[in-house]
């Protein structure tokens, strides 16, 4: 008898999700992200998530537009119409969804209630072999522009632990450009 060994979203997700109210200012949201060492917040006023805001959103939609962060709310900047996933879904389905939609975070919702968040880093930490699915699906959808090095892939650097869109293989390890230079300099 063959055992089912599929990894689910629930197995990889982070269940302690930091959320904020839609009326939270961008300045407050940025302070929370900084304090917690996280790159995104889920916006909700009831059980189901209404939106998501990332560090990138703050930079591109607030800072680069020279808008005062204390004068604008997360509701005005957040990404709406979230793509969500069920905790019982298979992790490879989540990886394909992320790659197809060019996103790195999926709110995990069970019967209309936010139960966690799944990031591309979570996927690669729990199931590194799914990195190939993320890369291949993105290539097919022409979502990732690759450098001249065909071996560049997105993922977590095996030396410094940072997540980057481009990693190069050096001596059997996937590393970022900075760590690659350090390794090649040795």
């Amino acid at each position: 008898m063959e055992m089912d060994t599929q990894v689910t979203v629930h197995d990889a997700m982070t269940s302690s999700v930091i959320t904020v109210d839609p009326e939270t200012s961008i300045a407050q949201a940025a302070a929370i992200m900084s304090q917690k060492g996280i790159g995104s917040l889920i916006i909700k006023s009831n059980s189901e998530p209404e939106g998501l805001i990332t560090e990138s959103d703050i930079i591109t939609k607030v800072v680069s537009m020279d808008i005062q962060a204390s004068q604008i709310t997360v509701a005005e900047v957040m990404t709406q119409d979230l793509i969500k996933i069920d905790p019982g879904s298979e992790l490879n389905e989540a990886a394909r969804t992320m790659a197809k939609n060019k996103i790195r975070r999926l709110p995990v919702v069970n019967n209309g209630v936010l139960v966690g968040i799944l990031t591309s880093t979570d996927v690669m930490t729990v199931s590194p072999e799914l990195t190939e699915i993320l890369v291949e699906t993105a290539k097919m959808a022409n979502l990732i522009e690759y450098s001249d090095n065909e071996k560049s892939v997105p993922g977590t650097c095996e030396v410094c632990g940072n997540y980057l869109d481009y990693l190069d293989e050096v001596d059997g390890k996937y590393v970022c450009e900075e760590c690659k230079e350090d390794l090649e300099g040795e």
Side-chain angles (χ1 to χ4, degrees):
M1 184 166 100
E2 190 174 307
M3 254 176 87
D4 183 14
T5 58
Q6 290 295 329
V7 179
T8 66
V9 167
H10 182 269
D11 298 327
M13 72 180 195
T14 300
S15 56
S16 57
V17 183
I18 308 297
T19 64
V20 294
D21 183 87
E23 296 308 310
T24 303
S25 75
I26 293 295
Q28 292 169 313
I32 292 167
M33 284 189 245
S34 180
Q35 285 174 332
K36 302 288 185 182
I38 56 176
S40 66
L41 294 169
I42 298 285
I43 291 80
K44 69 178 198 144
S45 54
N46 51 32
S47 60
E48 190 157 355
E50 300 168 30
L52 174 96
I53 188 162
T54 66
E55 292 169 320
S56 178
D57 291 332
I58 292 171
I59 292 167
T60 59
K61 298 175 183 175
V62 180
V63 176
S64 70
M65 306 298 272
D66 199 23
I67 298 171
Q68 191 170 356
S70 61
Q71 302 301 310
I72 188 168
T73 67
V74 292
E76 297 172 79
V77 177
M78 71 184 184
T79 299
Q80 298 176 343
D81 302 323
L82 294 176
I83 298 168
K84 305 166 198 155
I85 196 154
D86 185 89
S89 299
E90 291 182 9
L91 200 55
N92 61 1
E93 176 189 339
R96 284 188 180 93
T97 300
M98 288 176 174
K100 177 182 166 197
N101 293 288
K102 198 177 178 182
I103 57 175
R104 294 189 305 226
R105 298 167 182 90
L106 280 173
V108 182
V109 177
N110 189 19
N111 296 321
V113 177
L114 177 69
V115 295
I117 189 165
L118 182 72
T119 67
S120 55
T121 303
D122 295 332
V123 172
M124 288 180 273
T125 300
V126 171
S127 198
E129 68 276 7
L130 290 180
T131 300
E132 190 173 320
I133 289 174
L134 287 169
V135 172
E136 290 305 315
T137 305
K139 275 184 184 177
M140 287 187 294
N142 293 319
L143 295 176
I144 296 178
E145 292 179 23
Y146 286 89
S147 65
D148 294 335
N149 183 349
E150 282 292 316
K151 294 188 181 207
S152 290
V153 296
T156 303
C157 175
E158 293 182 50
V159 175
C160 67
N162 290 327
Y163 178 85
L164 295 157
D165 290 329
Y166 301 102
L167 296 177
D168 293 319
E169 186 176 3
V170 176
D171 297 329
K173 291 183 180 180
Y174 285 98
V175 297
C176 66
E177 189 65 34
E178 189 174 315
C179 292
K180 178 182 175 182
E181 289 172 7
D182 291 347
L183 289 172
E184 290 175 343
E186 291 178 354

